[in-house]
Amino acid sequence: MNDATLSALFLGLLEGLTEFIPVSSTGHILLAGHFLGFDSAGKTFEVVIQLGAVLAILGVYAAKIGRTVAGLPSDPQARRFAGSVLIAFLPAVVVGVLAHDFIKDVLFESPRLIASMLIIGGIVLLIVDRLPLTPRHHEADRFPLPMALGIGVIQCLAMIPGVSRSGATIVGALALGADKRAAAEFSFFLSMPTMAGAFAYDLYKNRDVLDWSALGEIAIGFAAAFVAAILVVRWLLGFVSQHGYGLFGWWRIIVGSIVLAALSMGY
């Protein structure tokens, strides 16, 4: 394998491993790309491999999604669950469309900001994980609609690279009364419209500068992200139910600190 292929494989695995845990996959991908010297016109590679993670969630939850869709005409609970995910998704649509260019052209180009957000987010995650919260909601498909909207508003913080989409939604859900497993599971379901919408909008906005010349590298990154994301999703719910989110908080702080130190030395 040449260097570009190895970088594509590594970044694809990194995307899949970090997309659904609260450590910021976007932050990790951008920082890794910075230090590897890996870039693509219009961020084609970075955009497309996210779809691999979306398809992983669709595969893992295909049966539940199928039951929900089939029940929409007759089952009030199915309609309520679909409505809660849609309501949680809407704030990201508004903020993403209005701030897209600023996010991609300014925030995505600041490794120091990303590293700082990793550290701050890690501290927040450690604090929330240790708070004596009393969960009131134990099923991700039964969150009240106002709670879903609140989670969606908090998710918008993840427009800042390094904050973490899953981290923001999980912390929001925990603070609003979800237990740890339900918070992670709702984050999974919310990721589907959010990531698919971001993927489609990114492709539209960058349609004139997209670089499809490296299709082999894109395919490798896509496949690696898909496989890694399936493994993480199947593992994560059981892990957080038993151990919480402290490990991910410390991981964020360590990675962010290492990156800031490397940047200060001119890397």
Side-chain angles (χ1 to χ4, degrees):
M1 291 188 182
N2 58 36
D3 290 346
T5 301
L6 286 173
S7 294
L9 177 60
F10 174 74
L11 292 173
L13 289 172
L14 189 61
E15 162 65 26
L17 291 172
T18 58
E19 181 59 54
F20 299 110
I21 61 177
V23 298
S24 180
S25 63
T26 300
H28 278 67
I29 294 297
L30 293 174
L31 290 174
H34 170 80
F35 290 110
L36 290 171
F38 184 94
D39 195 14
S40 60
K43 300 294 183 182
T44 310
F45 178 87
E46 293 85 346
V47 169
V48 173
I49 64 171
Q50 290 185 359
L51 187 60
V54 174
L55 293 179
I57 280 285
L58 288 172
V60 171
Y61 284 101
K64 184 174 181 64
I65 294 169
R67 289 194 302 270
T68 300
V69 172
L72 289 176
S74 58
D75 184 358
Q77 179 54 42
R79 290 195 294 271
R80 176 176 172 172
F81 177 43
S84 68
V85 174
L86 177 61
I87 287 173
F89 167 57
L90 290 179
V93 175
V94 176
V95 175
V97 169
L98 293 177
H100 178 274
D101 292 344
F102 175 75
I103 293 166
K104 286 300 178 71
D105 297 339
V106 178
L107 299 183
F108 271 40
E109 301 300 326
S110 177
R112 197 172 300 276
L113 170 67
I114 297 170
S116 299
M117 289 300 101
L118 284 175
I119 294 171
I120 293 170
I123 294 170
V124 171
L125 198 59
L126 287 175
I127 292 172
V128 172
D129 192 54
R130 295 178 182 181
L131 286 176
L133 300 173
T134 303
R136 303 186 304 276
H137 307 287
H138 305 279
E139 300 292 337
D141 57 357
R142 295 181 180 273
F143 285 0
L145 297 184
M147 178 180 174
L149 177 61
I151 294 171
V153 171
I154 295 170
Q155 179 180 234
C156 293
L157 293 173
M159 302 290 180
I160 304 171
V163 170
S164 170
R165 186 207 59 79
S166 59
T169 54
I170 287 170
V171 167
L174 291 173
L176 292 171
D179 68 20
K180 293 176 180 178
R181 183 185 179 91
E185 194 165 30
F186 190 81
S187 178
F188 290 164
F189 287 111
L190 181 54
S191 73
M192 286 183 268
T194 301
M195 292 170 61
F199 168 78
Y201 193 63
D202 271 338
L203 286 185
Y204 169 74
K205 291 289 288 185
N206 293 296
R207 62 192 182 280
D208 296 328
V209 296
L210 289 175
D211 178 14
W212 296 101
S213 61
L215 281 176
E217 295 165 13
I218 292 172
I220 288 170
F222 180 96
F226 175 79
V227 173
I230 286 181
L231 297 175
V232 168
V233 170
R234 293 188 181 280
W235 163 81
L236 183 63
L237 292 180
F239 179 86
V240 298
S241 296
Q242 297 182 40
H243 305 289
Y245 295 97
L247 173 64
F248 307 116
W250 285 114
W251 173 263
R252 294 175 62 107
I253 293 169
I254 292 169
V255 171
S257 299
I258 292 173
V259 170
L260 287 179
L263 292 172
S264 69
M265 291 187 287
Y267 289 97

